[in-house]
């Protein structure tokens, strides 16, 4: 049976040990990409940029903008890539069995999150590349990606992005109105699912580990088997 339980009042307590373990690695990777980026584009990491700026960066470095500040996205580890494929495939399989207007997208796929409905490129200062997202309002999709909050986002933790996924992106997705947010721990083989409540805040989260199934709430609780996510 799946072990399912509510996260304590401190919503980050489940993730804390992981964050402590990867703190050094996160700092090292950030500094590495800072130096590499300075050589290639001479971008100032202490200033803010817009999506209009973002579109002019034609090198091979993956980046996000959060409130205008650059965040780097190193290539995922093999374990990360396998889990991403497994979840994407299972979400796609659900859609084939239960056709609807939703679509599944996976990184690299730009999601622009405008503030106050302002969609001009020089006004948007947040663009992210979630590992996986589900969009059910297809009017949000254009040739460059998604404009507005997806219905569901999945982020798979890695040493270089874990702190951002658990803190910054948690707050970002909450305020942007992402209905369902999955944080996946590859090492402990756990999935933490947060659901947006009527007050616009995420609940305390539910942890799924040790087998069983995980309901996908945006797909009417249709389940994905835990083993199908973490199989090699």
């Amino acid at each position: 049976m799946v072990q399912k339980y509510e996260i304590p009042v401190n919503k980050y307590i489940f993730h804390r040990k992981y964050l402590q373990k990867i703190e050094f690695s996160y700092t090292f990777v950030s500094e590495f990409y800072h130096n590499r980026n300075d050589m290639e584009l001479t971008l100032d990491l202490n200033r803010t940029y817009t999506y209009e700026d973002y579109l002019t960066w034609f090198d091979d470095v993956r980046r996000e903008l959060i409130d205008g500040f650059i965040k780097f996205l190193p290539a995922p580890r093999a374990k990360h890539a396998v889990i991403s494929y497994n979840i994407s495939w299972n979400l796609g399989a659900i859609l084939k069995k239960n056709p609807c207007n939703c679509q599944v997208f996976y990184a690299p796929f730009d999601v622009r999150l405008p503030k106050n409905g302002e969609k001009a490129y020089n006004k948007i200062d947040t663009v992210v590349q979630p590992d996986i997202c589900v969009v059910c309002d297809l009017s949000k999709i254009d040739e460059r990606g998604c404009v507005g909050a997806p219905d569901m986002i999945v982020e798979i933790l890695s040493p270089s992005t874990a702190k951002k996924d658990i803190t910054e992106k948690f707050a970002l997705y909450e305020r942007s109105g992402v209905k369902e947010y999955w944080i996946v721990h590859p090492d402990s083989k756990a999935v933490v699912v947060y659901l947006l409540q009527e007050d616009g805040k995420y609940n305390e989260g539910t942890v799924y580990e040790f087998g069983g199934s995980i309901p996908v709430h945006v797909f009417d609780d249709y389940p994905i088997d835990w083993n199908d996510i973490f199989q090699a």
Side-chain angles (χ1 to χ4, degrees):
M1 294 292 292
V2 64
Q3 181 168 340
K4 171 183 173 182
Y5 52 89
E6 296 298 316
I7 288 186
V9 173
N10 182 342
K11 64 173 65 71
Y12 304 125
I13 197 166
F14 182 83
H15 312 290
R16 186 176 295 152
K17 288 184 179 179
Y18 185 84
L19 283 178
Q20 291 172 344
K21 184 169 64 175
I22 57 84
E23 189 69 32
F24 171 78
S25 178
Y26 175 84
T27 302
F28 173 80
V29 171
S30 295
E31 290 177 352
F32 170 80
Y33 273 85
H34 181 292
N35 295 333
R36 176 178 176 179
N37 186 64
D38 281 349
M39 290 187 290
E40 293 184 352
L41 284 176
T42 318
L43 297 176
D44 183 354
L45 301 186
N46 294 313
R47 59 155 285 191
T48 59
Y49 295 89
T50 68
Y51 185 60
E52 187 173 63
D53 300 315
Y54 177 93
L55 292 176
T56 67
W57 301 335
F58 291 111
D59 59 1
D60 62 350
V61 178
R62 286 182 59 204
R63 305 174 183 84
E64 298 176 308
L65 290 178
I66 297 181
D67 295 327
F69 290 99
I70 295 171
K71 309 292 180 177
F72 293 105
L73 290 170
R77 297 178 300 172
K79 185 186 297 185
H80 181 292
V82 169
I83 292 172
S84 180
Y85 170 80
N86 290 344
I87 295 175
S88 298
W89 189 93
N90 277 277
L91 290 172
I94 293 174
L95 287 180
K96 286 185 178 180
K97 293 178 183 178
N98 303 274
C100 64
N101 290 327
C102 302
Q103 288 188 9
V104 179
F105 300 92
Y106 50 87
F109 178 76
D110 284 349
V111 174
R112 284 161 274 160
L113 297 172
K115 295 172 182 173
N116 303 316
E118 180 57 74
K119 298 181 181 180
Y121 288 2
N122 65 347
K123 298 295 183 182
I124 294 174
D125 66 0
T126 297
V127 51
V128 293
Q129 293 187 2
D131 289 315
I132 303 165
C133 64
V134 175
V135 181
C136 297
D137 179 358
L138 298 186
S139 68
K140 295 180 178 181
I141 304 300
D142 65 14
E143 62 180 6
R144 296 192 181 277
C146 178
V147 188
D151 293 80
M152 175 184 180
I153 284 179
V154 180
E155 296 286 9
I156 302 160
L157 299 186
S158 61
S160 58
T161 65
K163 185 175 182 179
K164 177 178 62 176
D165 293 340
I166 293 169
T167 57
E168 289 181 84
K169 282 192 169 181
F170 182 99
L172 173 63
Y173 296 158
E174 183 180 67
R175 77 170 190 243
S176 299
V178 177
K179 297 175 184 176
E180 183 169 357
Y181 180 30
W182 288 24
I183 296 179
V184 182
H185 288 253
D187 294 335
S188 59
K189 296 184 177 181
V191 179
V192 187
V193 177
Y194 299 98
L195 301 176
L196 200 66
Q197 306 299 294
E198 291 183 359
D199 62 359
K201 300 293 184 181
Y202 282 131
N203 64 3
E204 293 300 327
T206 303
V207 178
Y208 297 89
E209 53 186 348
F210 308 128
S213 61
I214 304 171
V216 181
H217 297 274
V218 298
F219 291 160
D220 297 325
D221 293 341
Y222 200 98
I224 292 179
D225 190 275
W226 179 91
N227 292 299
D228 288 341
I229 292 176
F230 294 103
Q231 67 181 353

